[in-house]
Amino acid sequence: MDSMRKSRIIYEAACKILDEMHSEAGITDSLEKYYRGDNPNPESLENVFRNLIISAQNRQGMPRVIKFHDREHVIQEILFYYDINQISQKGADYFLRKFNVQKNRLGVDTFGKQWSQWCKAIFDSANFLNQFTDINDFTAFVESFQQNLATRIALPLYLQTKIYGIGFALACDFLKELNYQNYLKPDTHIVYICKSLELIDTKADGKNENVLAFEAIDRLARDVEQKPYKVDKILWLISSGKFYKDRDENSNPISIHPRRDVLVDRVKGLI
């Protein structure tokens, strides 16, 4: 089967399953709101910094430890309201101490390894962004990598060398949530789907599999004339069942049983 036909089968099956989930979840609104970045069009480097440190805490179990959104009112005070000039004059240890001083307000008993790692990412993020004169300078920097697939991949590979704890997938996450639609996050769900449907080598592992999955979904998106961001978000919603932009009758984010394996099985029956 040629690549383009396979891409269409996967995409059409994914859209149908997502429509079924949409109905099951009782969501009446369109899902279009999921197909744009959660933090689009930043107006300043401070906004970019905030997005970057959010992505830096989006690994493994760190979100459950840092709880950025629940604690941001205290975190932003400690981080000089995201003034990257002031942050870059300090150090990771300085911020770990400051968090500890505010542990009662933060509701944290002890600050372990993950807080220490995040503080390193905070300091590196400020230093990285401090090289840009303003948001237009940063935007021009990102746009300079948008020439083709190879250069798009080069940017997150570069970012992971500059910021502690930011790997390829998290660097992609940072860029896509700024609404750079040519980016996707090749997380465990995306890698699993790519391997299961033989879009990439099933024996690929480590950092290599993330890059291969990025290339595979980018190719699929081009085949079906969609942006990689949208294809990624469709697959993520199917894999997680988390419709976090919609609320139930108790104002809680809607979550239903994921259908990742259903997608894989359905597509295998069609190819």
Side-chain angles (χ1 to χ4, degrees), residues 34-258:
Y34 289 96
Y35 305 143
R36 55 182 178 268
D38 289 343
N39 303 293
N41 307 317
E43 297 179 351
S44 67
L45 289 176
E46 287 74 21
N47 294 151
V48 175
F49 171 79
R50 177 182 181 274
N51 295 334
L52 188 47
I53 65 173
I54 288 173
S55 289
Q57 62 108 55
N58 278 345
R59 64 190 183 111
Q60 300 170 341
M62 195 177 284
R64 292 190 296 272
V65 174
I66 305 298
K67 298 180 180 178
F68 178 86
H69 295 291
D70 293 338
R71 294 166 171 158
E72 185 175 11
H73 63 292
V74 180
I75 290 171
Q76 65 181 352
E77 288 181 24
I78 295 170
L79 299 183
F80 306 111
Y81 293 93
Y82 310 139
D83 184 326
I84 57 176
N85 288 316
Q86 290 196 64
I87 294 168
S88 62
Q89 292 172 19
K90 304 297 181 180
D93 290 342
Y94 169 87
F95 292 108
L96 188 59
R97 291 195 302 271
K98 294 293 285 186
F99 283 132
N100 191 57
V101 169
Q102 298 290 342
K103 65 181 181 181
N104 290 335
R105 292 180 67 202
L106 288 164
V108 179
D109 293 326
T110 57
F111 292 86
K113 182 179 180 181
Q114 290 175 311
W115 278 95
S116 176
Q117 292 172 336
W118 193 51
C119 287
K120 291 177 182 178
I122 287 169
F123 182 63
D124 285 352
S125 296
N127 278 335
F128 167 71
L129 291 172
N130 230 3
Q131 70 181 294
F132 304 106
T133 55
D134 55 26
I135 188 62
N136 293 327
D137 192 20
F138 172 78
T139 300
F141 167 77
V142 175
E143 291 296 337
S144 72
F145 285 87
Q146 304 308 303
Q147 299 173 37
N148 53 54
L149 177 59
T151 57
R152 288 198 297 276
I153 288 175
L155 178 52
L157 288 174
Y158 173 74
L159 289 175
Q160 74 177 11
T161 70
K162 294 296 181 181
I163 301 162
Y164 183 89
I166 290 272
F168 180 77
L170 288 182
C172 291
D173 179 61
F174 160 65
L175 292 164
K176 80 181 185 68
E177 294 310 337
L178 291 178
N179 207 36
Y180 287 101
Q181 292 277 320
N182 286 326
Y183 285 93
L184 61 119
K185 182 184 179 184
D187 62 6
T188 54
H189 292 307
I190 296 299
V191 170
Y192 176 87
I193 290 170
C194 287
K195 284 186 173 182
S196 298
L197 298 179
E198 298 183 0
L199 297 176
I200 65 173
D201 186 349
T202 57
K203 295 181 181 179
D205 58 11
K207 295 178 181 178
N208 190 45
E209 69 181 7
N210 291 332
V211 175
L212 291 175
F214 185 104
E215 292 174 330
I217 299 302
D218 182 275
R219 183 168 56 250
L220 187 156
R222 307 298 161 186
D223 285 346
V224 299
E225 299 181 332
Q226 298 292 336
K227 289 293 186 181
Y229 185 103
K230 182 175 182 178
V231 174
D232 170 76
K233 188 57 67 107
I234 289 172
L235 297 177
W236 184 84
L237 287 168
I238 290 170
S239 299
S240 69
K242 296 178 179 179
F243 294 88
Y244 61 96
K245 291 186 177 183
D246 289 282
R247 297 291 187 270
D248 62 19
E249 63 274 10
N250 297 315
S251 297
N252 296 316
I254 292 176
S255 182
I256 65 172
H257 188 72

